[in-house]
Amino acid sequence: MKNKNKQSNIYRFFISPSRGDSPFKRMAIHLTLIIACAIAVYPVLRIISVSLRPGDRLLSTSLAIIPKDASLYSYYRIIFEKPFLLWLWNSLAITVTTAFIGLILASTSAYAFSRWKFPGRVPGLFFLLTTQMIPAAMLVVPIYILAVRFQLINSYRGLALAYSVSSVPFSIWILKGYYDTIPRELEEAAKIDGASQMGTFFRIILPLSTPALAIVFLFNFMMAWNDWIMARIMLQRENMFTWPLGIWTLAGQFRVEWGAFTAASILVAVPVMALFLYSSKWLISGLTLGSVKG
Amino acid sequence: MEALTAEVVVNTIKELGSMVLYIILGTIILEILVYLVLGKIFKSKYTLPYMLMIAAIFGIAMLVIYPIGYEVRLAFTNMSLRHFRSYTLSWAQGLKNFGLIFSEPVLKQIRFFPLLFRTLLWTAVNLVFHLAGGLGLAILLNRQMRGRGFYRALLVFPWAVPQIIAVLAWKGEFHYEYGFINVMLKSIGMQPIQWMISPFWNFAAACITNIWLGIPFMMIIILGGLQSIPLEFYDAAEIDGASRWQQFRNITLPLLKPVLTPAVVLGIIWTFNNFNVPYMINANELETTDILVTALFRSAFEYHRYGFSAAFAIIIFIVLFIIASVYIRITHGLKGAYE
């Protein structure tokens, strides 16, 4: 009896009632989605699998996800025998600083773009959009030479400066879109009660925009956190590396340290992915806020 | 090996903290200047918005506009590793740089136009697969069924993994002997593929990686668009006897356009400018996998021809600008985005 019940549950899972589709079609849809999920997830599972392999069998043609004699040796090595924690700290310090600078610059400028029709507004918005098309590889050449001239190579300062405004144009667009949706009546009411223009900005607009500010902070953070190319040219000493550079050297050209690379990847990716999946709904709405408005 | 010590932490905070202090100091000076000049001398009614923006304007001017201006200047020099301090700046040198892009190989062998063609091919192939895959999966997910949230969560995985990690992991999986693709090919009795050596397969490997990375973004954006289409439209069409394909063509696609257009613009720009995937998958420095931006990076940082690569960068930007403007013009994609 119990067995039969279980079977029907499985049956119901795969062939649930929906808008007039035939059971065969529903099966086909689930099958396609399962295959797509497998393709999406398998390469990630492989990273976990390799990171768990014992040191002498890192290279193997086995396709098993959990290797037979799984060990955490690679994790031990990456934490205690490589400057991995130092790389993470470098990344974290630079990224948090620049994300805050970017957020402050963007939140005030977006308010100006949203509430005043000052001369140069439309060309300004167009210019901000154009900067999004500049390839990172294009900016990297002059920034490298200027950094050499101003002796900013191999310093936290140089990299932080290079990152600080790079996501400001995009942030301004998103925040402007969000501020536009806040009714002006709220500000007018506050003004009647005697608040100044800046008072309404700090006491009404900013608190109401918390979700958008969070999205912009996250965007700024992710941009700098995941960047490789700017760090590559600005940092040359291994103890200054950010984590993308460090991981890249582990998976280097000639001698790939598979265990260390995969273990480091998992340690970096798990918190990032958790944060990302947790906030993905906001991220999407944030992406479309600035460009598409009903 | 250097470790993370308290001393390192203190040094970092000192360096970054002093930078932030300088920025705050500079901002205060700028604000006072704007207030005095615009507010007191010109009595402008726009003093406050300009005060709100001045820090961002100054930052963008110093860190985006100034470097680009510097790059234009570089394009008219012969700066290279040998002539790093003693370079010459002249119109003739500039013309020579721009001429060299079209007349000589940009790297060792590859010339500009094959490179441009490959970049367009790269952009087209990736975008077509991103759109087809994203649209297909979004349509499959846009219905009531069991496990929908579960599928969605798994399908966005490629987007959630930090890109560098995903690309380097894929690079490992294209290993001739130990990569899972070749292991699977061998187990079904097929010849393994020389992913890293064959020019065609290396380019294909870069495409596969980037397609894998890009589908979730399109899927999520399109799914959001699909969910905003009222179901009544389809019911009405069904009553009028429209087939599934007709419904798709006449309801779904037109109503998706406001969501799709900005996504495609972003997609074109991101794919065209994608550096990490073609650069990292290409472990053997095959010039046959390079697209414009990776060739630009190599000409600057492997061949150290700074003046030449500055000119090259300007040409690339012009190409991209033309493509994006044509697309926006055709689709009127950003109409109303300014207001």
Side-chain angles (χ1 to χ4, degrees):
Chain A
M1 190 65 202
K2 210 178 168 187
N3 198 17
K4 202 178 173 192
N5 206 355
K6 201 176 163 193
Q7 225 173 16
S8 77
N9 267 343
I10 292 170
Y11 180 82
R12 285 230 310 272
F13 177 85
F14 283 107
I15 310 174
S16 70
S18 80
R19 221 163 45 97
D21 291 331
S22 68
F24 176 74
K25 191 179 164 194
R26 266 176 262 147
M27 283 278 273
I29 289 171
H30 278 285
L31 199 66
T32 321
L33 284 173
I34 288 169
I35 293 172
C37 286
I39 296 173
V41 174
Y42 187 69
V44 183
L45 291 181
R46 282 278 292 184
I47 307 179
I48 302 175
S49 154
V50 175
S51 73
L52 291 175
R53 282 179 192 161
D56 53 334
R57 285 202 303 113
L58 283 172
L59 288 173
S60 135
T61 55
S62 153
L63 292 179
I65 298 297
I66 304 286
K68 234 188 267 156
D69 35 2
S71 93
L72 292 175
Y73 174 68
S74 296
Y75 290 88
Y76 172 85
R77 261 202 76 204
I78 188 68
I79 291 176
F80 294 105
E81 293 174 13
K82 296 267 169 197
F84 177 66
L85 295 179
L86 185 62
W87 297 338
L88 274 185
W89 164 253
N90 290 340
S91 270
L92 197 69
I94 292 173
T95 308
V96 170
T97 314
T98 60
F100 270 113
I101 295 175
L103 182 67
I104 292 167
L105 293 183
S107 60
T108 52
S109 322
Y111 187 56
F113 274 109
S114 169
R115 291 298 194 257
W116 282 275
K117 295 228 180 315
F118 53 85
R121 176 171 172 274
V122 170
L125 281 172
F126 182 74
F127 171 78
L128 291 179
L129 204 63
T130 318
T131 59
Q132 292 305 291
M133 298 194 339
I134 301 170
M138 176 177 174
L139 266 183
V140 147
V141 180
I143 284 187
Y144 170 72
I145 290 165
L146 288 172
V148 173
R149 290 276 147 92
F150 290 106
Q151 299 184 331
L152 286 169
I153 296 288
N154 271 330
S155 72
Y156 296 104
R157 228 176 258 171
L159 196 55
L161 276 177
Y163 287 146
S164 59
V165 299
S166 53
S167 48
V168 164
F170 190 60
S171 313
I172 291 181
W173 268 89
I174 291 182
L175 285 173
K176 174 196 166 286
Y178 197 86
Y179 292 158
D180 284 349
T181 63
I182 299 175
R184 279 163 190 248
E185 287 77 28
L186 281 176
E187 284 163 89
E188 276 153 24
K191 262 186 217 159
I192 291 168
D193 291 344
S196 68
Q197 186 80 42
M198 285 317 283
T200 56
F201 176 63
F202 283 115
R203 296 218 202 108
I204 295 179
I205 303 290
L206 280 188
L208 281 175
S209 312
T210 322
L213 294 172
I215 292 166
V216 165
F217 182 81
L218 208 63
F219 264 123
N220 288 348
F221 184 90
M222 289 288 194
M223 196 282 308
W225 179 254
N226 289 329
D227 171 81
W228 179 86
I229 186 168
M230 198 65 90
R232 168 86 180 96
I233 58 147
M234 298 287 274
L235 307 173
Q236 284 150 2
R237 289 211 317 264
E238 202 179 57
N239 63 333
M240 292 293 297
F241 279 4
T242 54
W243 74 261
L245 268 186
I247 277 190
W248 173 71
T249 53
L250 292 178
Q253 210 103 316
F254 305 109
R255 199 169 48 89
V256 183
E257 300 187 53
W258 279 118
F261 162 67
T262 49
S265 296
I266 295 298
L267 291 178
V268 174
V270 165
V272 170
M273 286 177 75
L275 184 69
F276 187 91
L277 293 175
Y278 171 71
S279 58
S280 65
K281 263 198 177 150
W282 300 346
L283 282 178
I284 313 300
S285 58
L287 264 179
T288 46
L289 261 179
S291 49
V292 205
K293 294 200 308 285
Chain B
M1 176 200 130
E2 304 247 2
L4 180 60
T5 57
E7 197 192 348
V8 174
V9 173
V10 171
N11 276 340
T12 319
I13 293 175
K14 255 191 206 155
E15 195 183 329
L16 289 172
S18 70
M19 185 189 86
V20 171
L21 276 181
Y22 280 125
I23 292 176
I24 293 172
L25 202 69
T27 312
I28 294 173
I29 294 172
L30 278 173
E31 297 291 353
I32 294 173
L33 268 178
V34 172
Y35 179 74
L36 290 179
V37 172
L38 278 183
K40 291 289 160 193
I41 300 177
F42 288 99
K43 308 250 185 257
S44 165
K45 58 176 176 171
Y46 295 116
T47 309
L48 187 59
Y50 283 120
M51 281 174 74
L52 283 169
M53 290 185 303
I54 187 65
I57 293 175
F58 187 77
I60 290 176
M62 290 312 289
L63 294 162
V64 179
I65 300 176
Y66 176 61
I68 289 178
Y70 191 77
E71 180 149 54
V72 174
R73 182 172 174 272
L74 270 183
F76 289 90
T77 68
N78 64 345
M79 190 193 273
S80 62
L81 205 56
R82 262 181 59 207
H83 302 278
F84 195 71
R85 306 227 169 238
S86 60
Y87 56 89
T88 52
L89 172 76
S90 68
W91 289 107
Q93 185 61 43
L95 286 178
K96 197 180 147 207
N97 281 343
F98 284 102
L100 275 178
I101 295 169
F102 301 105
S103 62
E104 296 277 318
V106 182
L107 298 176
K108 270 208 176 69
Q109 287 162 356
I110 189 85
R111 285 168 178 273
F112 176 77
F113 285 105
L115 208 51
L116 175 64
F117 173 75
R118 190 173 317 123
T119 310
L120 295 178
L121 182 72
W122 157 263
T123 312
V125 167
N126 278 294
L127 215 61
V128 164
F129 277 97
H130 287 165
L131 280 173
L135 190 64
L137 289 173
I139 288 175
L140 290 184
L141 280 178
N142 188 34
R143 64 187 74 228
Q144 291 188 326
M145 62 177 178
R146 304 273 160 129
R148 185 163 168 270
F150 177 71
Y151 287 135
R152 217 185 90 128
L154 288 188
L155 285 172
V156 296
F157 254 56
W159 191 23
V161 189
Q163 203 190 40
I164 294 288
I165 292 177
V167 175
L168 291 173
W170 269 101
K171 182 188 137 201
E173 300 299 355
F174 288 118
H175 190 279
Y176 183 74
E177 210 171 329
Y178 303 111
F180 77 81
I181 305 181
N182 275 358
V183 171
M184 283 179 180
L185 283 178
K186 257 191 265 179
S187 69
I188 56 170
M190 283 167 70
Q191 277 292 316
I193 294 171
Q194 299 267 17
W195 294 103
M196 285 300 161
I197 298 164
S198 149
F200 173 81
W201 286 114
N202 196 248
F203 186 62
C207 287
I208 292 171
T209 310
N210 199 45
I211 290 166
W212 182 84
L213 280 169
I215 285 180
F217 173 75
M218 284 292 177
M219 180 191 87
I220 295 288
I221 294 278
I222 295 173
L223 192 58
L226 285 178
Q227 281 166 348
S228 67
I229 302 175
L231 282 175
E232 289 81 38
F233 287 7
Y234 295 101
D235 295 339
E238 218 149 284
I239 291 169
D240 291 343
S243 69
R244 270 293 162 92
W245 170 245
Q246 281 173 322
Q247 289 178 21
F248 177 74
R249 250 203 70 94
N250 297 317
I251 301 173
T252 313
L253 275 189
L255 288 177
L256 272 184
K257 213 185 116 186
V259 180
L260 270 183
T261 314
V264 171
V265 176
L266 279 180
I268 291 177
I269 294 171
W270 286 345
T271 317
F272 191 97
N273 287 341
N274 192 319
F275 176 82
N276 288 346
V277 177
Y279 186 79
M280 303 214 171
I281 291 291
N282 186 0
N284 294 319
E285 298 181 16
L286 297 172
E287 290 189 0
T288 48
T289 311
D290 273 321
I291 62 172
L292 285 169
V293 286
T294 58
L296 170 63
F297 186 84
R298 278 190 215 285
S299 74
F301 295 102
E302 280 167 27
Y303 297 89
H304 303 287
R305 301 161 74 189
Y306 302 117
F308 171 80
S309 60
F312 191 21
I314 291 166
I315 299 284
I316 294 175
F317 181 74
I318 292 171
V319 170
L320 182 61
F321 191 78
I322 292 172
I323 295 172
S325 326
V326 167
Y327 182 83
I328 292 171
R329 186 57 62 81
I330 292 172
T331 53
H332 305 290
L334 300 169
K335 214 161 59 178
Y338 291 132
E339 279 314 310

mmCIF file with all atom_site columns, all heavy atoms in Angstrom, chain B residues 63-75:
data_model
loop_
_atom_site.group_PDB
_atom_site.id
_atom_site.type_symbol
_atom_site.label_atom_id
_atom_site.label_alt_id
_atom_site.label_comp_id
_atom_site.label_asym_id
_atom_site.label_entity_id
_atom_site.label_seq_id
_atom_site.pdbx_PDB_ins_code
_atom_site.Cartn_x
_atom_site.Cartn_y
_atom_site.Cartn_z
_atom_site.occupancy
_atom_site.B_iso_or_equiv
_atom_site.pdbx_formal_charge
_atom_site.auth_seq_id
_atom_site.auth_comp_id
_atom_site.auth_asym_id
_atom_site.auth_atom_id
_atom_site.pdbx_PDB_model_num
ATOM 1   N N   . LEU B 1 63 ? 39.147 59.839 -13.878 1.00 0.00 ? 63 LEU B N   1
ATOM 2   C CA  . LEU B 1 63 ? 39.441 58.409 -14.001 1.00 0.00 ? 63 LEU B CA  1
ATOM 3   C C   . LEU B 1 63 ? 38.854 57.770 -15.252 1.00 0.00 ? 63 LEU B C   1
ATOM 4   O O   . LEU B 1 63 ? 39.137 56.619 -15.540 1.00 0.00 ? 63 LEU B O   1
ATOM 5   C CB  . LEU B 1 63 ? 38.935 57.675 -12.759 1.00 0.00 ? 63 LEU B CB  1
ATOM 6   C CG  . LEU B 1 63 ? 39.699 58.075 -11.495 1.00 0.00 ? 63 LEU B CG  1
ATOM 7   C CD1 . LEU B 1 63 ? 38.939 57.703 -10.248 1.00 0.00 ? 63 LEU B CD1 1
ATOM 8   C CD2 . LEU B 1 63 ? 41.072 57.429 -11.482 1.00 0.00 ? 63 LEU B CD2 1
ATOM 9   N N   . VAL B 1 64 ? 38.021 58.494 -16.001 1.00 0.00 ? 64 VAL B N   1
ATOM 10  C CA  . VAL B 1 64 ? 37.532 57.946 -17.270 1.00 0.00 ? 64 VAL B CA  1
ATOM 11  C C   . VAL B 1 64 ? 37.917 58.876 -18.426 1.00 0.00 ? 64 VAL B C   1
ATOM 12  O O   . VAL B 1 64 ? 38.584 58.462 -19.374 1.00 0.00 ? 64 VAL B O   1
ATOM 13  C CB  . VAL B 1 64 ? 36.000 57.723 -17.245 1.00 0.00 ? 64 VAL B CB  1
ATOM 14  C CG1 . VAL B 1 64 ? 35.526 57.177 -18.576 1.00 0.00 ? 64 VAL B CG1 1
ATOM 15  C CG2 . VAL B 1 64 ? 35.616 56.774 -16.128 1.00 0.00 ? 64 VAL B CG2 1
ATOM 16  N N   . ILE B 1 65 ? 37.519 60.154 -18.313 1.00 0.00 ? 65 ILE B N   1
ATOM 17  C CA  . ILE B 1 65 ? 37.751 61.051 -19.446 1.00 0.00 ? 65 ILE B CA  1
ATOM 18  C C   . ILE B 1 65 ? 39.246 61.338 -19.626 1.00 0.00 ? 65 ILE B C   1
ATOM 19  O O   . ILE B 1 65 ? 39.758 61.283 -20.745 1.00 0.00 ? 65 ILE B O   1
ATOM 20  C CB  . ILE B 1 65 ? 36.956 62.363 -19.255 1.00 0.00 ? 65 ILE B CB  1
ATOM 21  C CG1 . ILE B 1 65 ? 35.466 62.028 -19.176 1.00 0.00 ? 65 ILE B CG1 1
ATOM 22  C CG2 . ILE B 1 65 ? 37.210 63.323 -20.405 1.00 0.00 ? 65 ILE B CG2 1
ATOM 23  C CD1 . ILE B 1 65 ? 34.592 63.216 -18.898 1.00 0.00 ? 65 ILE B CD1 1
ATOM 24  N N   . TYR B 1 66 ? 39.944 61.619 -18.519 1.00 0.00 ? 66 TYR B N   1
ATOM 25  C CA  . TYR B 1 66 ? 41.362 61.908 -18.642 1.00 0.00 ? 66 TYR B CA  1
ATOM 26  C C   . TYR B 1 66 ? 42.140 60.725 -19.212 1.00 0.00 ? 66 TYR B C   1
ATOM 27  O O   . TYR B 1 66 ? 42.914 60.904 -20.171 1.00 0.00 ? 66 TYR B O   1
ATOM 28  C CB  . TYR B 1 66 ? 41.923 62.360 -17.283 1.00 0.00 ? 66 TYR B CB  1
ATOM 29  C CG  . TYR B 1 66 ? 43.399 62.599 -17.286 1.00 0.00 ? 66 TYR B CG  1
ATOM 30  C CD1 . TYR B 1 66 ? 43.960 63.560 -18.119 1.00 0.00 ? 66 TYR B CD1 1
ATOM 31  C CD2 . TYR B 1 66 ? 44.252 61.858 -16.464 1.00 0.00 ? 66 TYR B CD2 1
ATOM 32  C CE1 . TYR B 1 66 ? 45.321 63.779 -18.139 1.00 0.00 ? 66 TYR B CE1 1
ATOM 33  C CE2 . TYR B 1 66 ? 45.611 62.073 -16.479 1.00 0.00 ? 66 TYR B CE2 1
ATOM 34  C CZ  . TYR B 1 66 ? 46.148 63.035 -17.310 1.00 0.00 ? 66 TYR B CZ  1
ATOM 35  O OH  . TYR B 1 66 ? 47.498 63.231 -17.330 1.00 0.00 ? 66 TYR B OH  1
ATOM 36  N N   . PRO B 1 67 ? 41.942 59.494 -18.717 1.00 0.00 ? 67 PRO B N   1
ATOM 37  C CA  . PRO B 1 67 ? 42.650 58.366 -19.343 1.00 0.00 ? 67 PRO B CA  1
ATOM 38  C C   . PRO B 1 67 ? 42.324 58.207 -20.819 1.00 0.00 ? 67 PRO B C   1
ATOM 39  O O   . PRO B 1 67 ? 43.215 57.884 -21.613 1.00 0.00 ? 67 PRO B O   1
ATOM 40  C CB  . PRO B 1 67 ? 42.171 57.154 -18.543 1.00 0.00 ? 67 PRO B CB  1
ATOM 41  C CG  . PRO B 1 67 ? 41.782 57.691 -17.239 1.00 0.00 ? 67 PRO B CG  1
ATOM 42  C CD  . PRO B 1 67 ? 41.250 59.065 -17.495 1.00 0.00 ? 67 PRO B CD  1
ATOM 43  N N   . ILE B 1 68 ? 41.052 58.460 -21.204 1.00 0.00 ? 68 ILE B N   1
ATOM 44  C CA  . ILE B 1 68 ? 40.716 58.296 -22.624 1.00 0.00 ? 68 ILE B CA  1
ATOM 45  C C   . ILE B 1 68 ? 41.414 59.377 -23.445 1.00 0.00 ? 68 ILE B C   1
ATOM 46  O O   . ILE B 1 68 ? 41.972 59.107 -24.512 1.00 0.00 ? 68 ILE B O   1
ATOM 47  C CB  . ILE B 1 68 ? 39.192 58.318 -22.819 1.00 0.00 ? 68 ILE B CB  1
ATOM 48  C CG1 . ILE B 1 68 ? 38.605 57.029 -22.259 1.00 0.00 ? 68 ILE B CG1 1
ATOM 49  C CG2 . ILE B 1 68 ? 38.841 58.435 -24.300 1.00 0.00 ? 68 ILE B CG2 1
ATOM 50  C CD1 . ILE B 1 68 ? 37.117 56.948 -22.350 1.00 0.00 ? 68 ILE B CD1 1
ATOM 51  N N   . GLY B 1 69 ? 41.410 60.621 -22.918 1.00 0.00 ? 69 GLY B N   1
ATOM 52  C CA  . GLY B 1 69 ? 42.140 61.683 -23.601 1.00 0.00 ? 69 GLY B CA  1
ATOM 53  C C   . GLY B 1 69 ? 43.620 61.330 -23.716 1.00 0.00 ? 69 GLY B C   1
ATOM 54  O O   . GLY B 1 69 ? 44.251 61.516 -24.764 1.00 0.00 ? 69 GLY B O   1
ATOM 55  N N   . TYR B 1 70 ? 44.156 60.771 -22.634 1.00 0.00 ? 70 TYR B N   1
ATOM 56  C CA  . TYR B 1 70 ? 45.558 60.365 -22.636 1.00 0.00 ? 70 TYR B CA  1
ATOM 57  C C   . TYR B 1 70 ? 45.796 59.279 -23.678 1.00 0.00 ? 70 TYR B C   1
ATOM 58  O O   . TYR B 1 70 ? 46.830 59.247 -24.344 1.00 0.00 ? 70 TYR B O   1
ATOM 59  C CB  . TYR B 1 70 ? 45.927 59.874 -21.243 1.00 0.00 ? 70 TYR B CB  1
ATOM 60  C CG  . TYR B 1 70 ? 47.404 59.661 -21.030 1.00 0.00 ? 70 TYR B CG  1
ATOM 61  C CD1 . TYR B 1 70 ? 48.242 60.744 -20.831 1.00 0.00 ? 70 TYR B CD1 1
ATOM 62  C CD2 . TYR B 1 70 ? 47.951 58.387 -21.050 1.00 0.00 ? 70 TYR B CD2 1
ATOM 63  C CE1 . TYR B 1 70 ? 49.591 60.568 -20.644 1.00 0.00 ? 70 TYR B CE1 1
ATOM 64  C CE2 . TYR B 1 70 ? 49.306 58.200 -20.866 1.00 0.00 ? 70 TYR B CE2 1
ATOM 65  C CZ  . TYR B 1 70 ? 50.126 59.292 -20.659 1.00 0.00 ? 70 TYR B CZ  1
ATOM 66  O OH  . TYR B 1 70 ? 51.463 59.112 -20.486 1.00 0.00 ? 70 TYR B OH  1
ATOM 67  N N   . GLU B 1 71 ? 44.793 58.403 -23.827 1.00 0.00 ? 71 GLU B N   1
ATOM 68  C CA  . GLU B 1 71 ? 44.926 57.321 -24.801 1.00 0.00 ? 71 GLU B CA  1
ATOM 69  C C   . GLU B 1 71 ? 44.953 57.882 -26.225 1.00 0.00 ? 71 GLU B C   1
ATOM 70  O O   . GLU B 1 71 ? 45.722 57.419 -27.062 1.00 0.00 ? 71 GLU B O   1
ATOM 71  C CB  . GLU B 1 71 ? 43.762 56.345 -24.650 1.00 0.00 ? 71 GLU B CB  1
ATOM 72  C CG  . GLU B 1 71 ? 43.814 55.187 -25.619 1.00 0.00 ? 71 GLU B CG  1
ATOM 73  C CD  . GLU B 1 71 ? 43.190 53.931 -25.049 1.00 0.00 ? 71 GLU B CD  1
ATOM 74  O OE1 . GLU B 1 71 ? 42.032 54.016 -24.625 1.00 0.00 ? 71 GLU B OE1 1
ATOM 75  O OE2 . GLU B 1 71 ? 43.862 52.897 -25.026 1.00 0.00 ? 71 GLU B OE2 1
ATOM 76  N N   . VAL B 1 72 ? 44.099 58.892 -26.484 1.00 0.00 ? 72 VAL B N   1
ATOM 77  C CA  . VAL B 1 72 ? 44.107 59.520 -27.806 1.00 0.00 ? 72 VAL B CA  1
ATOM 78  C C   . VAL B 1 72 ? 45.489 60.128 -28.074 1.00 0.00 ? 72 VAL B C   1
ATOM 79  O O   . VAL B 1 72 ? 46.051 59.989 -29.159 1.00 0.00 ? 72 VAL B O   1
ATOM 80  C CB  . VAL B 1 72 ? 43.004 60.597 -27.905 1.00 0.00 ? 72 VAL B CB  1
ATOM 81  C CG1 . VAL B 1 72 ? 43.105 61.354 -29.223 1.00 0.00 ? 72 VAL B CG1 1
ATOM 82  C CG2 . VAL B 1 72 ? 41.634 59.961 -27.773 1.00 0.00 ? 72 VAL B CG2 1
ATOM 83  N N   . ARG B 1 73 ? 46.048 60.761 -27.033 1.00 0.00 ? 73 ARG B N   1
ATOM 84  C CA  . ARG B 1 73 ? 47.378 61.343 -27.195 1.00 0.00 ? 73 ARG B CA  1
ATOM 85  C C   . ARG B 1 73 ? 48.400 60.232 -27.472 1.00 0.00 ? 73 ARG B C   1
ATOM 86  O O   . ARG B 1 73 ? 49.256 60.351 -28.356 1.00 0.00 ? 73 ARG B O   1
ATOM 87  C CB  . ARG B 1 73 ? 47.743 62.109 -25.927 1.00 0.00 ? 73 ARG B CB  1
ATOM 88  C CG  . ARG B 1 73 ? 49.078 62.808 -25.983 1.00 0.00 ? 73 ARG B CG  1
ATOM 89  C CD  . ARG B 1 73 ? 49.259 63.690 -24.751 1.00 0.00 ? 73 ARG B CD  1
ATOM 90  N NE  . ARG B 1 73 ? 50.591 64.269 -24.724 1.00 0.00 ? 73 ARG B NE  1
ATOM 91  C CZ  . ARG B 1 73 ? 51.631 63.677 -24.167 1.00 0.00 ? 73 ARG B CZ  1
ATOM 92  N NH1 . ARG B 1 73 ? 51.488 62.484 -23.613 1.00 0.00 ? 73 ARG B NH1 1
ATOM 93  N NH2 . ARG B 1 73 ? 52.817 64.279 -24.176 1.00 0.00 ? 73 ARG B NH2 1
ATOM 94  N N   . LEU B 1 74 ? 48.277 59.132 -26.703 1.00 0.00 ? 74 LEU B N   1
ATOM 95  C CA  . LEU B 1 74 ? 49.198 58.005 -26.897 1.00 0.00 ? 74 LEU B CA  1
ATOM 96  C C   . LEU B 1 74 ? 49.158 57.493 -28.328 1.00 0.00 ? 74 LEU B C   1
ATOM 97  O O   . LEU B 1 74 ? 50.182 57.072 -28.873 1.00 0.00 ? 74 LEU B O   1
ATOM 98  C CB  . LEU B 1 74 ? 48.792 56.841 -25.990 1.00 0.00 ? 74 LEU B CB  1
ATOM 99  C CG  . LEU B 1 74 ? 49.363 56.725 -24.598 1.00 0.00 ? 74 LEU B CG  1
ATOM 100 C CD1 . LEU B 1 74 ? 48.838 55.459 -23.970 1.00 0.00 ? 74 LEU B CD1 1
ATOM 101 C CD2 . LEU B 1 74 ? 50.866 56.706 -24.658 1.00 0.00 ? 74 LEU B CD2 1
ATOM 102 N N   . ALA B 1 75 ? 47.966 57.524 -28.928 1.00 0.00 ? 75 ALA B N   1
ATOM 103 C CA  . ALA B 1 75 ? 47.812 56.984 -30.280 1.00 0.00 ? 75 ALA B CA  1
ATOM 104 C C   . ALA B 1 75 ? 48.678 57.744 -31.276 1.00 0.00 ? 75 ALA B C   1
ATOM 105 O O   . ALA B 1 75 ? 48.949 57.249 -32.361 1.00 0.00 ? 75 ALA B O   1
ATOM 106 C CB  . ALA B 1 75 ? 46.349 57.040 -30.704 1.00 0.00 ? 75 ALA B CB  1
#
